[in-house]
Amino acid sequence: MATRRAETVLHGLSRLAEAQSAQLTDVQLLRRFAAHRDEGAFAALVHRHGPLVLGVCRNVLRSQHDAEDAFQATFLVLARRAGAIREGQALGSWLYRVAYRVSVKSRLAADRRRRREDQAARPAEDRPAGEIAWRELQAMLDEELNRLPGKYRAPFVLCCLAGKSKAEAAAELEWKEGTVSSRLARARELLQTRLARRGVALSAVLSGLAISETGPATAVPAALVTAVLEGVPRFLAGEAMATAPAALARSVLRGMALARVALAGAILAALGLAGTATAVAFRPRPVHPDPPVAFNPVGDGPKVAAVEQQVDGLRQLVVRGRVVGKDGKAVPGAEVAILADEDRAAGDRDFSAFSRRRVVTTGKADAEGKFQFVTPRPVIRKREDLFCLARGAGQAVDWHHLQTLVGEPPLELKLEEGQKLRGRVVDAEGAPVAGVKLGFGGFHRPTDGLTALIDEVAAPAWPAPIVTDKDGRFVLEGMLRRATVHLHIQDERFGPHWLALTANDSDETDAGTIRLDPPRVLEGTVVVHSTQAPLADATVVITSFNQGVSRATARVIARTDGLGRFTAKPYPGQSLMVTAAGAPGTPYLATQESLEWPVGVVRHHLDLHVPRGVLLRGRVVEQGTGLPVPGARVQYRPMSGKNRNGDKGNLLVLWHWLDAPSDANGDFELPVLPGLGHLLVRGPGHDWIPVEVGDDELIYGRKGGDRLYYPDALVRLDVKRDGEPEPIVATLRRGVIIKGRVETANGKPVASGFLLSRTYLGSGWEEPCELLTVQDGRFEIPGCDPDGSENYWFWDHKALQGAVVQLSPRDKDPIVRLAPFGSATLRFVDGKGAVVREPAPRLALVVRPGRHRWDRSEDKNKPARLTKDANFQGIRVDPTTGVITTLALIPGASYVVETSNLRSSKPFSVQSGQHVRLPDEVLEQPAKSKKP
């Protein structure tokens, strides 16, 4: 065994020498390992970045043994995520971040163990006292460095910790050297300020680092390298490794998924409208997306297009289907990609983007054109935010919404041969323009009237950019007939543009000549409203309207310099909306101004005034354990009914666009207005117990209100204008999972069905009641109150059966038995009894009884009613009689029929198999407004 181990190490080291001699970059080594499991490439990465990783682990952890376990776990995480690290993301910075997270998790676990074992005394340190003190200083630096935004942390890690020059860091980050220099300077400023609060000088820590890095402390023991190289293949093969590093790595990988941390498989793009797409054939380019958890053989698994399942407590998405040509024959090897629109990350200052589209996973169809993915379930607001697209060689892309909550048959993506679309790009004088890059932003198919807009998505099934030739000409191969393609131009000579080109029904379309105007320049300053002092490193988002494509995508982002100045080239459009906000970690809020661009002007000046607030610091922790909760979203809301600090006359104060994430220590910083307000906190994943709050409480501080919100924690604030406020602690309650079985009326397990929970939120603060799936007769409900009970609604849309039951975590493996649906009919009439024909009424399931927001006669202090759209089996309206028939009613559940006339029906329910004729409902017509 020892001989075999020695041979393994010798083999790895020889491959390491080979890789080093070739002077491969980190990106090249990652590609080799991700694509071919090249052991030498991985050994080279361990050799190259091992000292940095081990240094971080030693700084955070007290024990050398724990530090070595964390070191191994960090590289096991790298092995699993190697394909997810995109170009332009420095590996050294990525590893630094992961090593710190692994070490913090390891230290918290050790502290928890000691508390359970009632060991009050600190464990013996296995380092000299002087080194312990020095490591504590380095740990302070690591803690503050991990609180910095990634754009500042990355150059500091590369230049100050990894010892790279600014030119080397710029090449690795794919930035300009000037950008590295300015952001490195800003990182130093922020760290100097934050460390000074703790009585530490940054210069002293950096000087100590420069001395210590030349000593033996940074050398990685050969035995530790050997342990990593031997453990990686076993870890990737899925062996049940009972080692501390493997357990720690699995825990961190699970935490990444739960916290929705945007690692490099999550390639973010501009906000797009949900839709179907056609496609254009493209030149292949190397892409290394985040691999799926598994790409299973198609012969087993679910018999539906998309379902969800629980694996190790994580929600997993299973997608299966088949890619065929127009003739119905299989397209072997077709590229397939799953994309999702997710909420923008907390702290993201691209304010116009409510969501980001990312590549969830990619793969290829097998010899029969079939594919199946198993991947972490992305957090989306609705099923229209999840898409599947496919492309075959020489064929156009087919694009479908994934009906994740409907048990439809497996997808069939049908590809067809496309046509050529030609065009020519010229400047304002009509001269041809060469070298203009046209990026594919989305497609519009007239059959459904929807557009899918994606900016620079890196997926094999998505077209790569094309470039105009010397005559300004371009050709799009594989264009779908009668479809429109949206092309994105980002060229310094002309500024940003969106183009929309439509193909005809022939084999070739001539798009004609496309004229690009010279760029417009918006310049200006951002100052503090109260003092007129320039605001450095402020974010300026400029959104142009009248684009005809998507106003949310027609935006540019700029940063101010040290004098508060900014310069940007906005998209075309007469109307612009300009938003400015202070830098993260500062007390400055956000403001917004509209701008009508002067006719005939190419350069315009605009001054923006940003209000100063109070910088609030706090920590998100778990109730009971006091452990920090990283990855939480924290949002501020002033009590606008009692706090008038947001009223600055003509200055529009934007508090609702600012939010902050909690870091690895659970800490956050967020600017707020002085006075009364609230913090709303949403924990990562779905494991937390939400609290219910009405909008009257948020606005006036009293119970009731028209709308309901479901944060995981609500903290009331009374912030003084002067002085630094005391740190806030937001406490989240961890829930438990209810697991059970669901059977049809005849006792058979429900093959595929759904359940609804009042407290289960998909995303945001106001989106409760996202559907959960029932698969193979089993269900799981996370985030349940261990001491409470709730009503849950179950149904099988194929068997036409359902049930509403009350469940508690105290119920052990409960069995839910469904019963046949019922139905009901009703009519809406006016005050005189005449039938009011409603063309599109809405059936809603009442998941929380209460006062409806339209019922003004009732007491507003009563809790609001919460409903969920229940049109999953349709609702019929007889155009002659006005009779409304509601189908597929869950026995015992409460329903209302809502209309556009500001009124809904009274709640009603039916029993299993029962049809009920409800009394006529009198509609109250909205009052006519009086003339002034």
Side-chain angles (χ1 to χ4, degrees):
M1 185 70 178
T3 303
R4 183 176 180 182
R5 177 186 293 265
E7 290 175 352
T8 301
V9 175
L10 181 62
H11 175 70
L13 291 178
S14 64
R15 297 285 299 275
L16 167 62
E18 176 186 351
Q20 286 181 313
S21 64
Q23 294 298 306
L24 298 178
T25 66
D26 286 347
V27 172
Q28 291 170 324
L29 292 171
L30 278 172
R31 287 180 180 175
R32 281 192 174 190
F33 179 73
H36 308 294
R37 291 293 182 259
D38 188 325
E39 297 176 8
F42 195 83
L45 293 173
V46 175
H47 175 82
R48 190 175 293 177
H49 298 284
L52 174 66
V53 170
L54 186 57
V56 175
C57 298
R58 284 174 170 173
N59 292 344
V60 177
L61 294 163
R62 304 163 184 166
S63 163
Q64 177 69 17
H65 177 74
D66 290 345
E68 291 181 355
D69 284 347
F71 175 94
Q72 294 183 56
T74 300
F75 282 102
L76 291 179
V77 173
L78 173 63
R80 178 66 61 84
R81 304 286 296 179
I85 302 176
R86 64 181 182 273
E87 295 183 16
Q89 185 176 17
L91 180 60
S93 176
W94 189 90
L95 281 169
Y96 175 88
R97 181 74 166 163
V98 173
Y100 183 79
R101 180 177 299 170
V102 169
S103 300
V104 168
K105 183 174 284 290
S106 177
R107 185 164 183 169
L108 291 174
D111 292 343
R112 193 160 50 238
R113 284 196 307 272
R114 284 195 298 275
R115 285 197 297 269
R116 285 200 302 263
E117 296 166 358
D118 295 325
Q119 296 178 353
R122 288 170 59 92
E125 303 282 359
D126 48 12
R127 293 178 298 210
E131 183 181 348
I132 293 173
W134 167 237
R135 292 295 183 189
E136 291 293 336
L137 292 178
Q138 289 178 298
M140 289 184 189
L141 174 62
D142 291 333
E143 182 179 343
E144 295 297 343
L145 182 56
N146 271 276
R147 292 178 178 175
L148 293 184
K151 64 179 181 180
Y152 299 132
R153 183 175 59 250
F156 188 93
V157 169
L158 294 180
C159 296
C160 298
L161 301 185
K164 295 181 181 292
S165 66
K166 293 179 182 178
E168 291 172 332
E172 195 164 337
L173 292 166
E174 297 183 2
W175 295 352
K176 296 179 181 179
E177 189 171 344
T179 302
V180 171
S181 181
S182 62
R183 292 184 178 178
L184 178 59
R186 178 59 177 164
R188 285 175 175 269
E189 292 175 6
L190 293 172
L191 289 172
Q192 177 65 50
T193 301
R194 296 181 181 187
L195 287 172
R197 296 173 186 160
R198 307 174 69 166
V200 178
L202 176 63
S203 58
V205 181
L206 293 180
S207 298
L209 283 173
I211 296 172
S212 66
E213 284 178 356
T214 61
T218 58
V220 180
L224 190 53
V225 175
T226 301
V228 170
L229 298 180
E230 290 184 347
V232 164
R234 297 175 57 200
F235 187 76
L236 293 179
E239 293 185 25
M241 299 171 62
T243 63
L248 189 56
R250 286 193 292 267
S251 176
V252 170
L253 287 166
R254 188 179 300 117
M256 289 178 175
L258 287 173
R260 294 181 288 129
V261 176
L263 297 177
I267 304 171
L268 300 178
L271 170 68
L273 300 177
T276 58
T278 171
V280 182
F282 65 98
R283 299 176 310 230
R285 60 179 170 184
V287 178
H288 300 275
D290 188 5
V293 172
F295 190 83
N296 294 342
V298 180
D300 54 13
K303 303 305 181 184
V304 293
V307 297
E308 297 176 44
Q309 62 186 22
Q310 292 279 340
V311 178
D312 295 332
L314 299 182
R315 295 181 71 191
Q316 304 260 317
L317 178 70
V318 182
V319 183
R320 62 188 279 118
R322 186 167 182 255
V323 184
V324 300
K326 190 175 182 179
D327 56 3
K329 296 182 179 180
V331 181
E335 303 281 359
V336 186
I338 309 298
L339 295 87
D341 287 347
E342 296 187 326
D343 284 351
R344 68 177 178 89
D348 186 343
R349 292 303 177 98
D350 185 359
F351 306 112
S352 299
F354 293 99
S355 64
R356 298 285 194 178
R357 182 161 296 170
R358 74 175 181 94
V359 178
V360 176
T361 189
T362 64
K364 291 187 176 182
D366 63 15
E368 297 179 356
K370 296 180 180 179
F371 61 88
Q372 177 169 306
F373 295 102
V374 181
T375 183
R377 203 277 205 192
V379 178
I380 57 174
R381 290 185 180 273
K382 50 189 177 181
R383 62 176 181 263
E384 287 80 5
D385 293 340
L386 195 62
F387 317 97
C388 179
L389 57 92
R391 180 197 64 87
Q395 294 168 307
V397 173
D398 191 22
W399 170 283
H400 283 284
H401 285 141
L402 281 178
Q403 305 295 311
T404 59
L405 301 177
V406 179
E408 298 294 336
L411 294 173
E412 184 175 84
L413 294 102
K414 184 170 291 187
L415 309 184
E416 60 179 82
E417 296 181 4
Q419 62 157 252
K420 291 183 179 180
L421 190 148
R422 301 179 181 273
R424 184 167 180 259
V425 178
V426 300
D427 60 19
E429 286 73 34
V433 182
V436 174
K437 186 172 75 170
L438 306 173
F440 292 88
F443 308 94
H444 173 92
R445 189 153 49 193
T447 55
D448 48 47
L450 296 174
T451 304
L453 290 173
I454 310 175
D455 183 16
E456 299 298 330
V457 166
W462 190 257
I466 58 174
V467 181
T468 58
D469 63 15
K470 63 180 181 179
D471 296 322
R473 300 185 182 279
F474 62 89
V475 179
L476 307 182
E477 299 281 352
M479 182 69 185
L480 191 67
R481 290 167 171 79
R482 302 178 307 282
T484 300
V485 60
H486 298 285
L487 301 175
H488 183 235
I489 295 178
Q490 192 78 37
D491 194 299
E492 288 295 323
R493 295 170 291 178
F494 307 100
H497 286 75
W498 276 107
L499 306 178
L501 307 179
T502 302
N504 57 32
D505 199 22
S506 64
D507 292 335
E508 185 171 317
T509 296
D510 186 355
T513 300
I514 300 167
R515 188 180 301 273
L516 299 181
D517 295 326
R520 301 182 304 174
V521 178
L522 179 65
E523 59 187 6
T525 59
V526 179
V527 299
V528 180
H529 179 64
S530 57
T531 65
Q532 302 300 301
L535 196 56
D537 199 32
T539 302
V540 181
V541 182
I542 306 161
T543 303
S544 302
F545 299 96
N546 303 324
Q547 284 297 300
V549 180
S550 172
R551 65 187 185 184
T553 62
R555 65 186 183 276
V556 295
I557 302 176
R559 297 287 191 275
T560 59
D561 61 16
L563 298 177
R565 300 171 301 191
F566 70 91
T567 302
K569 296 177 180 178
Y571 284 82
Q574 182 180 357
S575 299
L576 279 69
M577 187 67 72
V578 185
T579 306
T586 68
Y588 303 105
L589 294 149
T591 188
Q592 189 177 81
E593 289 191 24
S594 58
L595 170 66
E596 293 296 317
W597 193 271
V599 178
V601 173
V602 296
R603 183 178 291 269
H604 187 67
H605 186 91
L606 178 67
D607 292 327
L608 296 161
H609 296 253
V610 173
R612 179 186 176 92
V614 177
L615 185 61
L616 186 70
R617 293 186 173 88
R619 174 169 291 184
V620 184
V621 300
E622 179 182 339
Q623 187 181 55
T625 66
L627 294 174
V629 179
R633 179 189 292 268
V634 184
Q635 186 183 82
Y636 165 72
R637 299 197 180 200
M639 199 178 294
S640 55
K642 294 186 175 183
N643 185 352
R644 296 302 179 185
N645 287 303
D647 185 5
K648 303 288 185 180
N650 293 328
L651 183 65
L652 176 63
V653 181
L654 300 178
W655 46 264
H656 53 284
W657 279 359
L658 296 178
D659 52 20
S662 60
D663 63 15
N665 297 317
D667 295 335
F668 65 88
E669 295 178 326
L670 187 65
V672 301
L673 288 168
L676 298 175
H678 289 92
L679 289 182
L680 283 73
V681 184
R682 180 80 190 271
H686 299 273
D687 295 333
W688 312 99
I689 304 172
V691 295
E692 184 181 83
V693 56
D695 59 1
D696 273 10
E697 184 169 352
L698 297 179
I699 298 171
Y700 302 106
R702 67 192 183 206
K703 296 296 182 181
D706 293 339
R707 303 185 67 88
L708 292 175
Y709 297 81
Y710 287 84
D712 294 330
L714 182 71
V715 181
R716 184 161 179 170
L717 303 175
D718 187 0
V719 180
K720 306 304 179 185
R721 184 180 300 276
D722 301 321
E724 183 172 344
E726 291 294 324
I728 296 296
V729 177
T731 303
L732 306 185
R733 295 178 61 206
R734 186 178 293 277
V736 297
I737 299 177
I738 296 179
K739 300 181 180 180
R741 291 178 287 167
V742 185
E743 297 178 352
T744 59
N746 59 7
K748 294 183 178 180
V750 171
S752 62
F754 315 102
L755 72 92
L756 186 67
S757 166
R758 178 177 66 89
T759 58
Y760 183 83
L761 277 70
S763 61
W765 315 101
E766 305 174 68
E767 295 287 337
C769 312
E770 181 187 347
L771 297 180
L772 291 163
T773 55
V774 175
Q775 189 66 31
D776 298 327
R778 303 292 305 182
F779 71 88
E780 295 188 6
I781 311 171
C784 301
D785 187 343
D787 301 319
S789 61
E790 286 284 348
N791 281 337
Y792 299 96
W793 294 260
F794 294 78
W795 66 92
D796 182 337
H797 63 287
K798 292 183 178 179
L800 301 180
Q801 298 179 8
V804 53
V805 297
Q806 188 175 69
L807 297 176
S808 166
R810 296 181 292 274
D811 301 328
K812 301 302 180 184
D813 198 24
I815 300 176
V816 176
R817 179 67 62 88
L818 305 185
F821 287 147
S823 61
T825 56
L826 77 158
R827 296 189 312 169
F828 285 109
V829 298
D830 61 18
K832 298 180 180 180
V835 173
V836 177
R837 291 172 176 81
E838 288 292 326
R842 172 180 176 266
L843 179 66
L845 176 68
V846 179
V847 295
R848 187 198 189 288
R851 178 191 59 81
H852 198 282
R853 72 180 66 175
W854 298 332
D855 295 334
R856 297 301 180 186
S857 60
E858 296 189 25
D859 184 3
K860 287 202 66 176
N861 289 326
K862 290 183 178 180
R865 178 189 298 170
L866 179 64
T867 62
K868 178 69 175 180
D869 189 359
N871 283 344
F872 51 87
Q873 286 292 337
I875 183 169
R876 300 173 184 171
V877 180
D878 189 318
T880 303
T881 63
V883 173
I884 300 170
T885 303
T886 61
L887 306 173
L889 300 180
I890 298 173
S894 180
Y895 292 90
V896 292
V897 176
E898 298 181 340
T899 76
S900 59
N901 281 328
L902 304 180
R903 175 72 194 274
S904 68
S905 66
K906 295 181 178 65
F908 65 90
S909 63
V910 300
Q911 300 305 313
S912 176
Q914 181 185 27
H915 176 80
V916 177
R917 175 64 171 90
L918 301 172
D920 291 346
E921 285 283 344
V922 180
L923 283 181
E924 295 178 359
Q925 300 295 331
K928 297 182 179 179
S929 59
K930 297 181 180 180
K931 295 183 179 180

